[in-house]
Amino acid sequence: PAERLGTYPVGPADVDGTHPGDFDKLRAYSREQAVWAVRAAGVVQRNAIQRDTTASCLDALRARGIIR
C-alpha cells in the first residue's frame, strides 16, 4: 500500500495581528508548513518509486510468460 501523507499543520487560530507574539506564531506555523512539504515530497517520491518498481517487475514476469 502507498505511504500516506502526514497531517497538514493547523495554523494558529488566535492570531489577529494585534498581539506582540502573533508574528512569532505565524513564523512557527510557516516552518511547520515547510517541514510538512519536504516530508510530503519524500512520500510522493517513495510512492512513485514503489509503483515503478512494481510495474517493472510485472512487465518482466509478463515478458517471461509467467503472468498475463
Side-chain angles (χ1 to χ4, degrees), residues 20-61:
D22 285 354
F23 185 73
D24 292 333
K25 289 178 184 178
L26 291 173
R27 185 181 296 189
Y29 174 57
S30 180
R31 279 193 301 270
E32 290 174 15
Q33 287 176 314
V35 169
W36 178 89
V38 169
R39 289 180 180 159
V43 168
V44 170
Q45 183 181 33
R46 288 188 296 278
N47 285 342
I49 290 168
Q50 289 175 351
R51 279 191 305 274
D52 291 347
T53 302
T54 300
S56 296
C57 179
L58 291 173
D59 288 345
L61 292 173

Side-chain angles (χ1 to χ4, degrees), residues 4-30:
R4 295 179 182 259
L5 294 177
T7 303
Y8 191 78
V10 177
D14 60 343
V15 173
D16 62 9
T18 60
H19 297 91
D22 285 354
F23 185 73
D24 292 333
K25 289 178 184 178
L26 291 173
R27 185 181 296 189
Y29 174 57
S30 180

